[in-house]
């Protein structure tokens, strides 16, 4: 990977961020055609554009969305800005093409009423208002801040409590930690200015899966059956994002009880709960004109054919679409993918040919709800289940310069660690003491510490929120996502401050975040090392002991969290947590024996190599269940999955956490306990079946 050039990555990023490129618009196709042209020039064996006809969401440019503060006669006291103020030349030049702030798939409408502040919009926040404060939220408009959970969950939680609409803002206590004056924020720093607004989708799974809302479970091809939009489980109330500069005016106008200390934020006021205005007769009104439209989006798929096992696929992917310029999300990753593809092309021209086929993917419409990748996985699900070795995703290449960060299934841990040890540290201040990516990652983000010494770097459990979702949760392909990141332990940041705003520009990366593009180059090299390891190693670099360890930690965490509740339930379970733990321990024993056998495989025996590789590759599929998780039938992987309280994060045994969450508060939990009993039995069976796949016979 020494051929990776930082200056090439810079030029690719400049190209992709020269104009907005929202999915479904003309720029979506133009960029897909550019990617195809470059990949053909680079020498890939085959490149194609694959389009899907899907339901996307757009604001009405003639009547942009807004939120207004009204007086007792209906006059406008204040109205939120319809666009973000231009702060750099490129932004000003493209102002006419920048989509105004909106939340995709929000319902349209103009609700008017009382305003209530609900902190982060979590279930616990709503419980505080309704239980501790006895507030009636029916018909109210909620205002909450970004962070802690997915924005779609904030809207869904408001729906379930009878709210009429939701306003979301980025609080400066999180997103402008250096201060709110011009010298403290973009374009002088990476912190969000008072005019910045985070766009995003508010479409949720809600049992319908990811992808095109009208074709759940199936690809949105020409002859696909499509649901009526009213049956597509989309939000039913209006939602709109505003800047913290605008949020100040709304929060300053409401009265009510003073919010708890942990609900206070960075605006220069005391946050109150609302439910009343300081001036009698005032109200707040939303005006949301967002509508859903059938549009085409485009994936670009390239191949480098394998020489020995062409029917085994190592898949690399990044999404191409952005809410505006998308310099960090996703274009830092897109630029890395372009340079990596160039380098792989050079290698093939020099005579290299991977043992297994490498497939590179540039996805469309990820931001709307993982649409491009999901539709492609659904179209090729039968083949991918049998042939895909691994999926390596880079949503963002660089969102900070603190450390590499990895998230993935335990089947990818060995590949992540091995690649990190091969790539030099891009930080010139650390390269002498920490020469590789692995060294910094181990110190900065350790998985565990023994006697003060980090044992290995932490790999996060995947949730959802990027294009690995369908690969892992629908067809069971080992998956991971990685990037260079900021120091999250020293701040409350859930994302980099300018996330999904019009200020996420080439200027941001080129002048502030990665001026030398060495961090971008390091991630590109890392990606390439992983790809070559999985594509070229005779025995796949998958150490299953990591899987056994992760499952054992997961079941012990469950024991600590819920064993007492299960005991107190007085329910007799056919299978218990103790039985589940016993099966995990049996799995661990089988893994130890199997991994020892892999060391003795004759590398010249093609059939023996194939047998072992198929066993490790297909193990992930053993954790799929045809019925999926309880209430989430399209999420088939049942031992690792997204957390329903925050789908960005993942957990082991997510179905049990779903079922046990809040079970003590139910008036009649009988039905829920029956579901717990059934799911425990399914998990025990699944662990037994997975253990069986590691044997030589049945």
């Amino acid at each position: 990977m020494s051929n990776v050039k930082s200056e090439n990555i810079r030029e690719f990023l400049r190209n992709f961020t020269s104009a907005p490129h929202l999915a479904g618009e003309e720029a979506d196709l133009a960029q897909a055609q550019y990617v195809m042209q470059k990949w053909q020039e680079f020498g890939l064996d085959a490149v194609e554009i694959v389009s899907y006809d899907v339901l996307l969401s757009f604001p009405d440019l003639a009547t942009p969305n807004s939120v207004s503060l009204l007086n007792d006669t209906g006059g406008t006291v204040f109205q939120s800005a319809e666009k973000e103020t231009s702060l750099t030349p490129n932004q000003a030049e493209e102002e006419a093409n920048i989509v105004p702030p909106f939340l995709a798939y929000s319902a349209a409408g103009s609700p008017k009423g009382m305003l209530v502040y609900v902190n982060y919009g979590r279930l616990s926040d709503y419980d505080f208002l309704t239980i501790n404060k006895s507030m009636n939220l029916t018909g109210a408009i909620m205002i909450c801040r970004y962070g802690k959970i997915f924005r779609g969950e904030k809207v869904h939680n408001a729906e379930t409590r009878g709210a009429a609409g939701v306003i979301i803002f980025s609080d400066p206590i999180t997103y402008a930690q250096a201060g709110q004056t011009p010298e403290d924020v973009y374009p002088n720093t990476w912190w969000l200015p008072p005019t910045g607004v985070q766009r995003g989708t508010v479409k949720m799974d809600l049992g319908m899966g990811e992808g095109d809302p009208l074709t759940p479970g199936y690809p949105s091809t020409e002859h696909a059956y499509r649901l009526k939009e009213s049956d597509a489980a989309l939000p039913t109330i209006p939602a709109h994002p505003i800047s913290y500069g605008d949020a100040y005016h709304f929060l300053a106008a409401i009265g009510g009880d003073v919010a708890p200390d942990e609900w206070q934020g960075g605006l220069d006021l005391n946050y109150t709960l609302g439910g009343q205005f300081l001036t009698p007769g005032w109200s707040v009104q939303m005006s949301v004109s967002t509508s859903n439209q059938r549009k085409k989006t485009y994936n670009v798929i390239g191949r480098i054919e394998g020489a020995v096992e062409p029917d085994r696929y190592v898949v690399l992917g990044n999404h191409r679409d952005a809410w505006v310029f998308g310099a960090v999300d996703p274009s830092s990753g897109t630029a890395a993918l372009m340079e990596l593809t160039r380098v792989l092309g050079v290698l093939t021209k020099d005579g290299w040919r991977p043992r297994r086929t490498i497939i590179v993917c540039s996805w469309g419409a990820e931001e709307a709800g993982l649409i491009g990748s999901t539709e492609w996985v659904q179209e090729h699900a039968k083949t991918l289940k049998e042939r895909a070795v691994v999926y390596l995703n880079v949503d963002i290449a660089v969102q900070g310069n603190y450390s590499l960060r990895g998230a993935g299934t335990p089947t990818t841990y060995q590949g992540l660690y091995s690649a990190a040890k091969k790539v030099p540290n891009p930080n010139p201040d650390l390269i002498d003491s920490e020469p590789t990516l692995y060294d910094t990652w181990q110190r900065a983000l350790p998985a565990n510490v023994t006697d003060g010494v980090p044992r290995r770097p932490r790999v996060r459990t995947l949730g959802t929120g990027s294009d690995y979702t369908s690969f892992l949760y629908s067809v069971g392909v080992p998956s991971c996502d990685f990037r260079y990141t900021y120091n999250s332990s020293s701040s409350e940041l859930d994302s980099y401050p300018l996330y999904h705003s019009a200020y996420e520009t080439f200027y941001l990366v080129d002048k502030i975040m990665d001026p030398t593009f060495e961090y971008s180059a390091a991630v590109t090299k890392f990606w390439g090392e992983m790809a070559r390891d999985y594509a070229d190693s005779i025995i796949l670099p998958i150490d299953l002991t990591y899987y056994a360890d992760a499952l054992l930690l997961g079941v012990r965490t469950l024991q600590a969290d819920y064993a007492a509740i299960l005991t107190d339930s007085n329910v007799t379970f056919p299978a218990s947590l103790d039985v589940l733990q016993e099966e995990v321990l049996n799995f661990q024993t089988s893994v130890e024996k199997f991994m020892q056998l892999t060391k003795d495989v004759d590398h010249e025996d093609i059939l023996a190599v194939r047998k072992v590789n198929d066993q490790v590759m297909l193990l992930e599929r053993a954790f799929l269940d045809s019925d999926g998780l309880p209430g989430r039938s399209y999420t088939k992987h049942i031992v690792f999955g997204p957390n329903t309280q925050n789908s960005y994060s993942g957990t082991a045994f997510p179905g049990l956490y779903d079922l046990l969450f809040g079970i003590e508060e139910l008036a009649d939990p009988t039905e829920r306990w029956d579901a717990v009993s059934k799911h425990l039995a399914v998990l025990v069976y699944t662990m037994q079946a997975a253990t069986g796949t590691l044997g030589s016979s049945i």
Side-chain angles (χ1 to χ4, degrees):
M1 291 293 114
S2 59
N3 285 327
V4 170
K5 306 297 183 187
S6 58
E7 58 267 28
N8 290 347
I9 299 173
R10 181 183 186 276
E11 182 58 24
F12 283 129
L13 183 67
R14 187 201 60 75
N15 181 293
F16 281 102
T17 58
S18 60
H21 43 287
L22 188 67
E25 301 285 50
E26 289 182 6
D28 189 7
L29 176 58
Q31 287 198 347
Q33 291 170 333
Y34 170 78
V35 170
M36 181 174 72
Q37 174 195 339
K38 299 304 290 186
W39 286 0
Q40 288 171 335
E41 290 176 9
F42 296 158
L44 270 63
D45 295 326
V47 186
E48 63 176 337
I49 292 178
V50 181
S51 66
Y52 295 100
D53 185 346
V54 300
L55 189 72
L56 297 176
S57 182
F58 304 90
D60 184 345
L61 300 183
T63 56
N65 301 337
S66 64
V67 183
S68 299
L69 189 61
L70 307 178
N71 62 24
D72 56 352
T73 63
T76 300
V77 177
F78 178 80
Q79 180 177 303
S80 64
E82 295 178 349
K83 62 182 181 180
E84 291 157 287
T85 304
S86 295
L87 297 177
T88 54
N90 178 243
Q91 185 183 352
E93 291 167 7
E94 293 291 334
E95 189 168 291
N97 299 317
I98 296 174
V99 65
F102 81 113
L103 295 175
Y105 301 106
S106 162
S110 302
K112 176 183 174 183
M114 192 53 62
L115 187 65
V116 176
Y117 172 55
V118 66
N119 196 22
Y120 291 107
R122 298 167 295 189
L123 291 174
S124 58
D125 296 328
Y126 278 96
D127 287 343
F128 176 80
L129 294 180
T130 57
I131 298 172
N132 296 54
K133 294 296 182 179
S134 301
M135 295 179 69
N136 182 0
L137 306 180
T138 302
I141 294 173
M142 315 305 297
I143 183 168
C144 64
R145 45 190 181 162
Y146 274 115
K148 307 301 181 185
I149 60 173
F150 170 53
R151 72 185 74 81
E153 288 154 345
K154 298 174 189 288
V155 177
H156 180 64
N157 292 342
E159 280 183 4
T160 61
R161 300 303 175 108
V166 182
I167 305 163
I168 313 178
F169 72 100
S170 303
D171 197 302
I173 199 170
T174 301
Y175 296 94
Q177 295 180 19
Q180 300 167 40
T181 60
E183 59 267 24
D184 295 324
V185 297
Y186 181 84
N188 294 305
T189 73
W190 79 327
W191 296 109
L192 186 71
T195 51
V197 184
Q198 180 190 135
R199 297 154 181 78
T201 187
V202 291
K203 181 177 86 70
M204 286 185 61
D205 182 330
L206 297 179
M208 301 292 280
E210 300 290 355
D212 178 18
L214 302 184
T215 60
Y218 296 93
S220 50
T221 52
E222 180 183 359
H223 303 294
Y225 172 81
R226 286 174 167 81
L227 300 175
K228 296 176 182 177
E229 192 174 323
S230 58
D231 295 331
L234 295 173
T236 59
I237 62 174
H240 185 61
I242 63 174
S243 68
Y244 65 79
D246 286 352
Y248 174 87
H249 297 275
F250 296 98
L251 292 173
I254 59 176
D257 291 348
V258 174
D261 289 346
E262 59 271 23
W263 289 36
Q264 297 297 318
L267 294 171
D268 188 19
L269 52 79
N270 281 325
Y271 289 46
T272 57
L273 300 179
Q276 62 188 58
F277 283 94
L278 295 176
T279 304
W282 283 24
S283 61
V284 66
Q285 183 166 28
M286 303 179 69
S287 177
V288 176
S289 57
T290 300
S291 64
N292 303 326
Q293 304 169 35
R294 288 266 297 275
K295 293 267 193 173
K296 281 196 173 182
T297 192
Y298 307 90
N299 297 333
V300 188
I301 310 297
R303 295 170 61 96
I304 299 174
E305 199 75 10
V308 179
E309 299 180 81
D311 63 336
R312 291 294 180 261
Y313 308 146
V314 175
V315 188
L316 287 63
N318 156 267
H319 76 91
R320 191 182 59 256
D321 64 298
W323 292 112
V324 192
F325 300 104
V328 178
D329 179 10
S331 297
S332 67
T334 308
L337 182 62
M338 295 299 290
E339 175 62 2
L340 175 56
T341 307
R342 184 194 69 81
V343 170
L344 293 174
V346 169
L347 290 173
T348 60
K349 290 174 183 177
D350 289 343
W352 170 77
R353 180 64 53 176
R355 179 185 180 92
R356 303 176 185 90
T357 296
I358 294 176
I359 300 178
V360 288
C361 308
S362 175
W363 306 119
E366 186 267 2
E367 295 290 6
L370 317 182
I371 290 177
S373 59
T374 298
E375 301 312 306
W376 190 79
V377 168
Q378 289 170 344
E379 185 171 11
H380 301 285
K382 308 294 186 184
T383 303
L384 291 169
K385 269 188 180 180
E386 297 299 323
R387 301 181 184 178
V389 172
V390 70
Y391 176 65
L392 310 178
N393 189 69
V394 174
D395 192 308
I396 295 167
V398 174
Q399 65 177 24
N401 53 23
Y402 178 63
S403 173
L404 184 72
R405 187 191 89 183
T409 52
T411 35
T412 66
Y413 287 11
Q414 181 181 342
L416 288 163
Y417 294 151
S418 177
K421 292 175 181 178
K422 297 174 184 175
V423 178
N425 195 328
N427 188 332
D429 296 329
L430 293 177
I431 194 165
D432 289 338
S433 59
E434 298 174 354
T436 69
L437 294 184
Y438 184 90
D439 297 314
T440 296
W441 185 16
Q442 182 183 43
R443 172 191 55 79
L445 302 171
N448 41 40
V449 178
T450 303
D451 297 327
V453 179
R455 286 176 51 198
R456 58 180 175 83
R458 178 191 176 196
V459 180
R460 298 182 176 202
T461 302
L462 290 171
T464 183
S466 195
D467 292 303
Y468 50 76
T469 298
S470 290
F471 282 92
L472 175 57
Y473 300 129
S474 294
V475 294
V477 177
S479 300
C480 64
D481 178 272
F482 42 86
R483 62 191 63 177
Y484 230 88
T485 192
Y486 50 82
N487 185 357
S488 59
S489 65
S490 65
S491 69
E492 290 294 318
L493 279 175
D494 291 289
S495 65
Y496 54 93
L498 298 170
Y499 177 65
H500 287 184
S501 75
Y503 304 127
E504 195 184 317
T505 60
F506 177 72
Y507 177 94
L508 169 66
V509 179
D510 188 45
K511 302 301 182 184
I512 298 173
M513 292 183 68
D514 190 16
T516 65
F517 282 80
E518 288 301 325
Y519 291 94
S520 299
V523 173
T524 306
K525 293 173 183 176
F526 176 83
W527 203 354
E529 294 292 356
M530 280 200 79
R532 290 192 66 182
D533 200 8
Y534 282 102
D536 278 343
S537 296
I538 295 176
I539 300 296
L540 289 172
I542 298 176
D543 185 347
L544 297 181
T545 57
Y546 290 122
Y547 219 119
D549 292 345
L551 289 176
L552 190 57
L553 176 62
V555 76
R556 286 174 174 169
T557 302
L558 260 175
Q559 291 271 24
D561 291 344
Y562 286 108
I565 294 173
L566 267 72
T567 300
D568 293 344
S569 70
N570 294 318
V571 175
T572 301
F573 299 101
S576 64
L577 282 182
D578 288 337
V579 174
L580 179 60
Q581 179 167 305
E582 182 181 339
E583 292 303 333
V584 170
L585 290 170
N586 290 339
F587 175 75
Q588 186 178 49
T589 300
S590 293
V591 162
E592 291 170 356
K593 293 178 181 178
F594 177 81
M595 294 309 298
Q596 184 58 48
L597 288 174
T598 64
K599 296 176 182 178
D600 301 328
V601 171
D602 180 0
H603 288 196
E604 301 299 321
D605 186 336
I606 296 175
L607 290 178
V609 168
R610 181 78 162 200
K611 174 179 178 291
V612 166
N613 281 339
D614 281 355
Q615 283 179 285
V616 295
M617 181 186 82
L618 296 174
L619 175 71
E620 203 77 65
R621 280 72 151 179
F623 296 116
L624 300 180
D625 185 81
S626 58
D627 289 339
L629 291 171
R632 293 188 277 169
S633 61
Y634 291 101
T635 303
K636 305 295 186 183
H637 202 297
I638 65 171
V639 300
F640 286 109
N643 183 329
T644 53
Q645 277 67 60
N646 179 15
S647 58
Y648 281 145
S649 66
T651 186
F653 307 111
L656 281 181
Y657 276 101
D658 287 353
L659 294 169
L660 292 168
F661 179 77
I663 196 169
E664 317 101 296
E665 300 167 12
L666 297 177
D668 183 4
T670 304
E671 186 174 338
R672 181 78 70 83
W673 279 120
D674 187 59
V676 169
S677 181
K678 178 181 178 181
H679 192 59
L680 264 171
V682 170
L683 284 171
V684 166
Y685 155 73
T686 300
M687 287 306 310
Q688 292 170 339
T691 300
T693 67
L694 299 179
S696 58
S697 61
I698 57 174

